[in-house]
């Protein structure tokens, strides 16, 4: 999932990349396979390349001339997929491995869907050690772990345990510190290596979890969360929390919805980015609850759907930039911000931040103050037909080159394998409420494009400092959504799975249930 300067994807097998014409004839769901690790992973001890979120590898041994000659050196299977109970969609192998420096053991380390941390010999694939936090395996919610965080701790004696640490957050909300050399819990951190986060006892796996690794910066570990933001009107709050990297003592918390009522979530489930020089932590926040109905949460909804820069030492807001006002489409900020040096017209170097979005936009901001470095326009968007809904009258659109895909689908864009197929797709699109990307949901079937899968999603962008190119994997799958009065059987799913035409989202505490599914041909 990283890119080097030859634009070669390395690491685990990437998802199949499909470029869609606007159509209703195809959606693609990739069935997770057992995690396969190949022994040409770059020597980077960060799951996203570096704390700047660049997904960039400095390795130069793999080139266009020799990439076709690569052969698998070894395969490691952790067994979590085979051990999973329940629907296959509930377990996903999504971890990016990291290669530790020799002082930390030189292991290749990754986490499994059930949050086991495994250290491998990078040359042979042999297991060196395994740590199992024994996460309960009975939840209907998805199990996934996208990586662990590594950090040396200079304050610890060189001969002592846990001078080199791995930090992981489990799906049941425990922050764990391990000695990177042998996988043993760090006894001086929290309760013998574990800090039980506040949501562990207050909520179950079905409401609050974790998928992304924490961010470690200057002696502080910062943790986001994954909150169920579509099942309830007032979901758990998406609090960002910071802890002392040595002792696990709480440092500070930040609630993106501070002062707001009748809502919850606005959590950061994607990885955070860190600017050590400016002592800033950049937080990509998600939608407020419930995703598709905003009558109970009027206004812009605080710092939801934003990039928020926090002071590392205190959690104070340095600046914030909102990508969606009063979200009604589940347009979470889905990926880690990418930090890089932007070159102005006069050649000056400006510390910048690029944030990809589910809308298929890229926002480029000055990371010192959050001001756009490329123009952003507030454009008028359609109003809502739902009683009491005050949809925000404008939404931010970046300059045209930073829009990754067309966000309009017309009936004449329909595609099909046959004349009959195209005709049915043409009619299906024509029958939908469809006024562009920010068309609020209604009691009539409404087109969602991009839908809640994006545009961009959690893979984010890969930035090459040498070429100054940002490479982004883009989804383009249209969905149909409809608000239906009354309640229906709920679901614990994030999105419709393969073969499922319609998923019902309960939004308990509102007058509506949401029916949503992919736009398909007959």
């Amino acid at each position: 999932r990283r890119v080097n300067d030859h634009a070669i994807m390395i690491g685990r097998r990437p998802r199949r990349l499909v470029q869609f014409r606007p159509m209703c004839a195809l959606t693609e769901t990739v069935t997770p396979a057992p995690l396969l690790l190949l022994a040409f992973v770059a020597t980077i001890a960060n799951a996203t390349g570096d704390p700047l979120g660049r997904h960039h590898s400095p390795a130069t041994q793999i080139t266009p001339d020799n990439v076709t000659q690569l052969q698998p050196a070894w395969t490691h299977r952790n067994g979590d997929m085979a051990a999973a109970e329940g629907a296959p969609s509930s377990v996903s192998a999504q971890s990016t491995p990291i290669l530790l420096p020799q002082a930390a053991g030189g292991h290749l380390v990754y986490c499994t869907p059930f949050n086991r941390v495994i250290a491998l010999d990078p040359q042979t694939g042999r297991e060196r050690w395994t740590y199992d936090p024994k996460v309960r395996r009975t939840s209907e919610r998805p199990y996934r772990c996208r990586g662990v965080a590594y950090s040396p701790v200079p304050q610890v004696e060189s001969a002592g345990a846990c001078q080199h640490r791995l930090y992981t957050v489990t799906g049941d909300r425990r922050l764990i510190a391990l000695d990177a050399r042998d996988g043993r819990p760090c006894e001086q951190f929290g309760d013998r290596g574990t800090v039980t986060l506040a949501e562990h006892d207050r909520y179950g796996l079905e409401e609050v979890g974790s998928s992304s690794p924490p961010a470690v910066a200057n002696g502080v570990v910062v943790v986001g969360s994954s909150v169920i933001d579509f099942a309830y009107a007032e979901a758990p709050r998406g609090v960002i929390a910071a802890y002392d990297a040595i002792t696990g003592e709480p440092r500070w918390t930040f609630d993106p919805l501070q002062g707001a009522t009748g809502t919850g979530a606005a959590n950061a489930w994607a990885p955070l980015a860190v600017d050590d020089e400016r002592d800033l932590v950049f937080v990509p926040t998600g939608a407020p609850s419930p995703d598709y109905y905003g009558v109970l949460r009027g206004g812009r909804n605080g710092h939801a759907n934003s990039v928020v820069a926090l002071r590392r030492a205190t959690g104070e807001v340095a600046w914030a930039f909102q990508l969606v006002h009063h979200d009604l489409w589940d347009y979470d900020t889905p990926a880690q911000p990418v930090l890089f040096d932007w070159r102005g017209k006069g050649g000056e170097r400006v510390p910048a931040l690029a944030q990809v979005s589910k809308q298929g936009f890229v926002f480029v901001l000055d990371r010192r103050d959050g001001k756009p470095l490329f123009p952003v326009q507030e454009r008028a968007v359609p109003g809502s037909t739902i009683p009491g809904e005050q949809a925000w009258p404008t939404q931010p659109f970046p300059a045209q080159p930073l829009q990754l895909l067309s966000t309009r689908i017309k009936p004449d864009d329909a595609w099909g394998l046959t004349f009959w197929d195209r005709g049915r797709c043409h009619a299906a699109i024509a029958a939908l409420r469809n006024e562009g990307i920010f068309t609020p949901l209604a009691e009539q079937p409404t087109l969602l494009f991009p839908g809640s899968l994006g545009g961009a999603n959690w893979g984010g962008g890969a930035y090459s400092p040498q070429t100054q190119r940002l490479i982004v994997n883009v989804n383009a799958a249209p969905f149909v959504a409809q608000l239906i009065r009354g309640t229906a059987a709920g679901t614990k799913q994030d999105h419709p799975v393969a073969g499922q035409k319609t998923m019902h989202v309960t939004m308990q505490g509102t007058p509506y249930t949401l029916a949503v599914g992919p736009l398909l041909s007959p």
Side-chain angles (χ1 to χ4, degrees):
R1 299 198 71 84
R2 303 189 193 105
V3 62
N4 68 12
D5 289 319
H6 299 294
I8 303 297
M9 296 300 291
I10 62 176
R12 75 176 177 89
R13 181 172 63 88
R15 292 182 178 185
R16 185 175 171 190
L17 179 60
V18 179
Q19 181 172 348
F20 287 85
R21 291 183 61 191
M23 64 182 178
C24 69
L26 176 66
T27 58
E28 172 119 337
T29 301
V30 178
T31 302
L35 184 66
L36 304 181
L37 301 181
L38 303 183
F40 51 80
V41 178
T43 56
I44 298 178
N46 193 291
T48 56
D50 54 38
L52 306 178
R54 295 180 179 180
H55 297 80
H56 176 265
S57 167
T60 57
Q61 289 177 300
I62 302 173
T63 71
D65 294 329
N66 66 21
V67 67
T68 59
Q69 303 168 29
L70 292 174
Q71 298 292 329
W74 49 260
T75 299
H76 179 265
R77 290 183 170 86
N78 59 62
D80 275 21
M81 298 293 291
E85 297 180 0
S89 62
S90 66
V91 180
S92 300
Q94 299 183 353
S95 179
T96 298
I98 60 175
L99 185 58
L100 302 183
Q102 287 301 319
H107 318 305
L108 186 67
V109 181
Y110 76 104
C111 56
T112 75
F114 294 133
N115 295 111
R116 292 190 298 135
V117 182
I118 300 177
L120 306 175
D121 182 323
Q123 296 297 323
T124 66
R126 179 183 58 84
E127 286 190 16
R128 289 177 171 174
W129 57 256
T130 300
Y131 174 79
D132 187 353
K134 300 188 183 304
V135 171
R136 178 169 58 86
R137 301 187 181 190
T138 57
S139 174
E140 296 179 44
R141 290 283 298 147
Y143 286 88
R144 54 174 72 110
C145 179
R146 291 174 177 152
V148 299
Y150 162 76
S151 180
V153 183
Q155 295 89 334
V156 177
E157 295 181 7
S158 59
C162 286
Q163 185 191 28
H164 297 271
R165 299 190 180 191
L166 294 169
Y167 297 91
T168 184
V169 185
T170 63
D172 58 2
R173 299 297 286 161
R174 288 175 285 154
L175 172 62
I176 299 173
L178 304 175
D179 189 321
R181 291 174 289 193
D182 58 19
R184 296 177 181 176
C186 297
E187 292 286 332
Q188 67 271 50
F189 184 84
D191 181 10
R192 303 180 67 180
T194 298
V195 171
T196 300
L197 305 181
E199 301 89 346
H200 177 82
D201 295 322
R202 191 180 311 163
Y203 306 108
L205 277 167
E206 286 75 17
E207 295 185 54
V208 182
S210 293
S211 55
S212 295
V216 188
N218 294 335
V220 175
V221 183
V222 187
V223 180
S225 63
S226 177
V227 175
I228 307 305
D229 51 15
F230 50 76
Y232 307 98
E234 195 163 351
R237 292 297 180 111
V239 173
I240 313 302
Y243 300 86
D244 187 283
I246 297 177
T247 66
E249 289 294 318
R251 286 285 194 92
W252 50 260
T253 60
F254 166 69
D255 181 359
L257 294 173
Q258 184 68 41
T261 59
T263 185
N267 51 293
W269 54 264
L272 315 181
V274 175
D275 184 339
D276 279 333
E277 180 182 349
R278 292 166 185 82
D279 213 25
L280 294 176
V281 178
F282 298 97
V283 179
T285 63
S289 67
D291 295 41
Y292 303 97
Y293 181 83
V295 172
L296 305 177
R297 51 170 173 85
R300 286 179 180 246
N301 301 143
H303 294 312
N305 304 94
S306 300
V307 180
V308 184
L310 301 178
R311 306 284 182 196
R312 177 206 56 85
T314 63
E316 174 191 4
V317 176
W319 57 261
F321 185 91
Q322 192 169 55
L323 312 182
V324 184
H325 313 314
H326 191 78
D327 185 12
L328 298 173
W329 307 272
D330 189 23
Y331 281 155
D332 295 330
T333 311
Q336 183 181 36
V338 177
L339 310 186
F340 69 104
D341 287 334
W342 183 80
R343 297 179 187 176
K345 293 181 179 179
E348 70 278 14
R349 302 175 73 89
V350 177
L353 174 153
Q355 180 64 63
V356 298
S357 76
K358 283 188 177 181
Q359 304 92 280
F361 297 159
V362 182
F363 294 89
V364 181
L365 311 175
D366 187 325
R367 67 176 183 262
R368 297 169 299 185
D369 55 20
K371 295 181 179 178
L373 293 173
F374 285 93
V376 175
Q377 289 184 336
E378 287 284 338
R379 298 182 190 171
V381 293
S384 176
T385 60
I386 297 298
E389 183 68 82
Q390 297 294 317
W392 203 258
T394 64
Q395 294 291 348
F397 286 76
Q400 185 65 38
L402 298 180
Q403 298 180 26
L404 301 175
L405 74 168
S406 172
T407 57
R408 295 300 297 261
I409 294 180
K410 303 181 295 296
D412 288 345
D413 294 323
W415 180 89
L417 296 175
T418 67
F419 175 79
W420 173 81
D421 199 25
R422 288 193 297 276
R424 293 294 295 272
C425 285
H426 185 285
I429 296 172
L432 297 174
R433 187 166 186 258
N434 176 16
E435 300 177 54
I437 180 175
F438 290 109
T439 304
L441 271 61
E443 294 185 12
Q444 300 78 40
T446 303
L447 179 71
L448 286 179
F449 185 72
S452 61
L453 295 178
N457 209 291
W458 65 270
Y463 177 76
S464 167
Q466 284 76 12
T467 64
Q468 300 177 62
R469 286 182 177 145
L470 182 71
I471 302 169
V472 185
N473 184 14
V474 179
N475 299 316
F479 280 72
V480 178
Q482 183 178 6
L483 294 174
I484 301 172
R485 288 188 176 271
T487 59
T491 179
K492 299 296 176 62
Q493 300 168 213
D494 287 296
H495 303 287
V497 297
Q500 183 180 22
K501 293 184 178 180
T502 304
M503 179 181 80
H504 288 93
V505 177
T506 56
M507 299 197 297
Q508 293 179 25
T510 78
Y512 292 98
T513 294
L514 176 74
V516 61
L519 178 61
L520 299 172
S521 76

